[in-house]
Amino acid sequence: MTHFPVEKIRLDFPILEEKIRNKPLVYLDNAASCQKPNAVIDTISHVYRHDYANVHRGVHTLSVRSTDKFESAREKIRAFINADSTKEIIITKGTTESINLVAQTYGKANLKPGDEILITAMEHHSNIVPWQMLCEQTGAILKVAPINQQGELIVTEFEKLLGDKTRLVAVVHMSNALGTINPVKNIIDLAHSRSIPVLLDGAQAIPHMAVDVQALDCDFYAFSGHKLYGPSGVGILYGKRALLEAMPPYQGGGDMIRKVTFEETEYNSLPYKFEAGTPSIADVIGLGAAIDYLNDIGMDAIAAYEAELLDYATEKARQIKGLRIIGEAAEKGAILSFVLDRIHPHDIGTMLDSLGVAIRAGHHCAMPVMDFYEVPATARASFAMYNTQQEIDVLMNGIESLIEVFG
Ligand code: 7TS
């Protein structure tokens, strides 16, 4: 293993000291949500103890202070994904809300009956259902690009589905059910050569790799704070400024207006046009602290360490008879989905919990992926930068003893 200060990092995450059923916690459910470092917990606590007031409203000291911290977090988020301007950083509740926002604003304004939206067969429900709802509202048609048995997008088929009627491509950057990292630059170039905008669902990619929205040239990028070592209840929609300027607002209310009369309302400028109501102030500032923390470690170092963890886990898993890995893409992030002969994933999850190991068992909000592999569910171990090889050993030993008893 290359040197990565994992032991030092672990000390920053107080929950990792918890005992679960009298065993040390082995937390391998990071794709669902990851744990929070002291830097984030303390920042949020500090805001409520010292800085808290509503933002963008008051002239009083606390309101100015919380507004400054809130807007400085927006700038940290901008820099983290290398967006051109903070006007392009819309604060939402999470990936789900970010995608719904695009569907209900850009989508409703631009789609006519017969127009097409192109997604892939490995999407999370939150990058399927908002488009289905939009199709119901507009008469547009949802097209789905297929995947192969390794769990990779078949790019030639994807390209064939890009047609005269395609108005938007919406693709997951890294799949939560399979771990597949999609060739998003290639996808974007193919779509742009036909002047079709591309939304990337970055919920899983963002904690595992450096993301540069300008280098990718994506039109929209959606992610959640809680999968990025930050708080839940806050997420981001990045959008290219020209697109966001042209889009109608999402929700109406305070903060998103410049002038209101009963006859007419003038909307606020970007990014506030899309941010109706009081945001999750302390959590946004907490997300800024998560980004500072990650920048100190370095996203490239994190990606390299997690790649080693995944290789180690994959190699161990391949040695277990009766274990089938679901998702073996050549480009893969730190997610290991698997099934065992004759043992239901929920039983795997329950049994591993008795050993202190937290994994997720289920359809992972990607039911079409389960249908494709003809499994009702999978067990999924998903790794974060604070996981270790020793923890993977605990997982694999647990699986082996489970097979011995029930297999
Ligand atoms: N897109 C992907 C690829 C995801 O993995 C998730 C959440 C979402 C969108 C939605 O994010 P949210 O923060 O708005 O809920 N994925 C998972 C998961 O794999 N297990 O629990 C949540």
Side-chain angles (χ1 to χ4, degrees), residues 106 110 162-169 187-198 219 240 243:
Y106 182 85
N110 289 287
L162 286 172
D164 294 345
K165 297 263 181 193
T166 316
R167 295 286 170 268
L168 184 71
V169 167
I187 287 170
I188 291 164
D189 289 346
L190 289 170
H192 281 180
S193 69
R194 295 158 177 85
S195 304
I196 303 164
V198 179
D219 299 277
K240 279 187 185 161
L243 287 170

Side-chain angles (χ1 to χ4, degrees), residues 31-32 94-96 124 126 172 174 176 201 203-204 224 226-227 360 364 380:
T95 309
T96 303
H124 185 280
S126 65
V172 71
M174 173 176 151
N176 69 316
D201 170 354
Q204 293 297 337
S224 302
H226 68 98
K227 296 186 202 280
R360 181 161 176 200
H364 315 295
R380 181 188 69 183

Side-chain angles (χ1 to χ4, degrees), residues 105-387:
T105 59
Y106 182 85
K108 252 194 198 159
N110 289 287
L111 272 81
K112 301 182 301 299
D115 284 348
E116 294 172 3
I117 303 157
L118 179 56
I119 61 170
T120 79
M122 68 175 94
E123 302 304 325
H124 185 280
H125 296 163
S126 65
N127 200 27
I128 303 173
V129 184
W131 308 119
Q132 289 174 328
M133 291 165 67
L134 178 65
C135 287
E136 267 177 34
Q137 292 160 348
T138 61
I141 299 161
L142 189 63
K143 295 276 177 178
V144 183
I147 58 175
N148 63 23
Q149 276 301 318
Q150 282 75 47
E152 295 163 326
L153 177 69
I154 306 172
V155 177
T156 48
E157 295 298 319
F158 170 86
E159 190 173 1
K160 280 187 209 154
L161 286 166
L162 286 172
D164 294 345
K165 297 263 181 193
T166 316
R167 295 286 170 268
L168 184 71
V169 167
V171 172
V172 71
H173 192 170
M174 173 176 151
S175 155
N176 69 316
L178 303 168
T180 308
I181 297 172
N182 274 315
V184 286
K185 184 69 192 131
N186 190 10
I187 287 170
I188 291 164
D189 289 346
L190 289 170
H192 281 180
S193 69
R194 295 158 177 85
S195 304
I196 303 164
V198 179
L199 174 144
L200 294 181
D201 170 354
Q204 293 297 337
I206 198 86
H208 298 299
M209 63 188 83
V211 170
D212 180 332
V213 291
Q214 291 191 77
L216 286 171
D217 199 26
C218 56
D219 299 277
F220 299 105
Y221 197 94
F223 63 95
S224 302
H226 68 98
K227 296 186 202 280
L228 190 62
Y229 305 95
S232 54
V234 45
I236 299 299
L237 173 68
Y238 158 81
K240 279 187 185 161
R241 187 168 170 178
L243 287 170
L244 294 174
E245 294 279 12
M247 280 154 57
Y250 179 45
Q251 295 178 325
D255 237 20
M256 54 76 73
I257 49 84
R258 186 168 285 140
K259 183 161 182 269
V260 178
T261 66
F262 285 119
E263 287 68 42
E264 177 176 59
T265 288
E266 195 185 314
Y267 302 129
N268 207 340
S269 55
L270 290 176
Y272 311 109
K273 181 171 90 173
F274 294 104
E275 295 180 357
T278 301
S280 200
I281 300 162
D283 295 315
V284 172
I285 299 169
L287 178 56
I291 286 174
D292 285 341
Y293 180 78
L294 288 163
N295 283 337
D296 280 349
I297 299 167
M299 290 310 294
D300 290 340
I302 292 169
Y305 176 70
E306 290 179 346
E308 288 180 14
L309 280 182
L310 180 68
D311 283 351
Y312 183 77
T314 305
E315 203 172 295
K316 288 250 162 181
R318 284 197 179 125
Q319 287 161 16
I320 299 179
K321 230 175 128 245
L323 184 153
R324 175 183 163 211
I325 297 175
I326 303 291
E328 298 203 83
E331 294 294 326
K332 226 186 126 169
I335 283 178
L336 186 74
S337 258
F338 61 94
V339 290
L340 299 179
D341 288 347
R342 292 185 297 279
I343 307 177
H344 193 279
H346 286 129
D347 295 330
I348 305 174
T350 307
M351 190 283 191
L352 287 174
D353 181 62
S354 72
L355 302 174
V357 181
I359 61 153
R360 181 161 176 200
H363 53 63
H364 315 295
C365 301
M367 284 187 185
V369 174
M370 303 298 116
D371 292 344
F372 176 77
Y373 285 99
E374 298 179 336
V375 293
T378 74
R380 181 188 69 183
S382 52
F383 308 108
M385 63 172 161
Y386 45 62
N387 290 128

Side-chain angles (χ1 to χ4, degrees), residues 58-72:
V59 291
H60 64 79
T61 302
L62 283 185
S63 179
V64 171
R65 210 188 278 170
S66 64
T67 302
D68 285 351
K69 289 202 163 186
F70 183 87
E71 290 303 328
S72 131

